[in-house]
DNA sequence: CCAGAAAAGTTGTAGCTACAACCTTTTGCT
DNA sequence: AGCAAAAGGTTGTAGCTACAACTTTTCTGG
């Protein structure tokens, strides 16, 4: 099992991707933290809830859509609940399950926060790329996700 | 300043990139943690040192090459020093500065660890893409880095 | 129909990162 | 020269995430 090292092109691509992995989350977090006292993950949780029917999702479904483990989500939702942004209630159909719902205050907050966040995403990602590159990025990240998430939790994100 | 929302293509690309941002670091960390008791960032610090002359770099230079803040690097290097992987010593030319050098044990460790790490990068990133996509990825991440790192610390990463 | 396995969450804790505060040395101005 | 500002690092702490342990409910095979 001799190692296949990376050639120059591969190394450049990987080093840059690793740099993006390191730097981009911090950029997103700072803007949201400064303007709304939210982390990017918290924002993402709110965004997923805001698009769900009744603005409600079961914890497991929410964890999958936000690419997180259940323990992590549980902690985050508890903090959001303390701040009045979401509320939790037992699921009627399954006594094991918990539903999380975006409150009216949470809905108001994400509506107020979304423009600034989208502007940040545009400034650092979307608007620095051509239309063609945006399509390429979707394909590339789609391929990576398939290998990183073999159970296919994100299947809806794979297809165009 | 009315918000320009993301259209379908843009949203797909962004959601997938956000998922990669969330999932890929964990994949890299688990493999390194399991096989070498290292985080990906620690590995990266060692890798940058191993390629430097004398396997030595000033803390500031090392922080820039690893895309991290100085406080973060300082904490990490201290832990690596406690483990005998790097050593620190004052810089002769500038009494403010500190040099970090990879020890013999550190050199041995990264040589033993590199194959497994490269295999992971290949499996989840490089080998799931075509040659063309790898070049596209380098361009795309290069463009993002320019906007994320305006001071140009990573300038050597921008050019092919 | 019931014992064991799986599923759904929660909680506790260790460890890492961000941020701020601080110290020391060097640089720049006048 | 001399003093303020900038550069280079370190340290302390709060907050978030990963991992493991645990509880409760549901599913499944015999």
């Amino acid at each position: 099992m001799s190692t296949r090292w990376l050639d120059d092109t591969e190394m450049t691509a990987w080093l840059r991707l690793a740099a993006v992995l390191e730097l981009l989350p911090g950029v997103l977090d700072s803007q949201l933290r400064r303007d709304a006292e939210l982390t990017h993950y918290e924002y993402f949780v709110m965004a997923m809830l805001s698009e769900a029917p009744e603005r409600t999702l079961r914890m497991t479904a929410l964890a999958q859509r936000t690419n997180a483990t259940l323990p992590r989500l549980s902690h985050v939702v508890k903090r959001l609940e303390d701040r009045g942004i979401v509320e939790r209630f037992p699921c009627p159909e399954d006594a094991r399950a918990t539903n999380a719902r975006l409150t009216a205050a949470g809905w108001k907050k994400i509506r107020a926060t979304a423009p600034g966040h989208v502007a940040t995403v545009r400034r650092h990602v979307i608007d620095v790329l051509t239309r063609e590159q945006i399509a390429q990025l979707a394909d590339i990240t789609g391929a990576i996700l398939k290998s990183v998430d073999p159970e296919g939790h994100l299947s809806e994100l794979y297809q165009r």
Side-chain angles (χ1 to χ4, degrees), chain A residues 40-51:
Chain A
H40 180 245
Y41 181 72
E42 289 170 336
Y43 176 90
F44 206 75
V45 167
M46 294 171 67
M48 292 303 110
L49 283 178
S50 73
E51 291 172 2

Side-chain angles (χ1 to χ4, degrees), chain A residues 20-124:
Chain A
V20 169
L21 253 40
E22 208 67 68
L23 295 173
L24 192 49
V27 170
L28 300 172
D29 277 339
S30 329
Q31 180 265 321
L32 284 168
R33 187 135 194 69
R34 173 167 49 78
D35 295 348
E37 310 259 15
L38 290 172
T39 65
H40 180 245
Y41 181 72
E42 289 170 336
Y43 176 90
F44 206 75
V45 167
M46 294 171 67
M48 292 303 110
L49 283 178
S50 73
E51 291 172 2
E54 312 280 324
R55 289 166 205 161
T56 302
L57 281 174
R58 283 173 53 160
M59 292 292 282
T60 298
L62 188 51
Q64 288 179 359
R65 295 194 198 196
T66 58
N67 314 307
T69 59
L70 211 34
R72 177 182 180 189
L73 178 65
S74 184
H75 282 128
V76 169
V77 166
K78 173 186 298 181
R79 293 192 291 264
L80 290 177
E81 190 172 34
D82 292 343
R83 296 167 65 183
I85 290 173
V86 305
E87 53 194 355
R88 280 188 288 191
F89 60 95
C91 177
E93 292 94 26
D94 187 336
R96 294 173 300 181
T98 305
N99 280 322
R101 178 165 49 207
L102 198 63
T103 64
W107 172 247
K108 194 172 169 187
K109 184 172 185 66
I110 196 173
R111 294 208 38 157
T113 305
H117 175 61
V118 171
T120 304
V121 171
R122 277 207 173 280
R123 179 143 72 91
H124 294 293

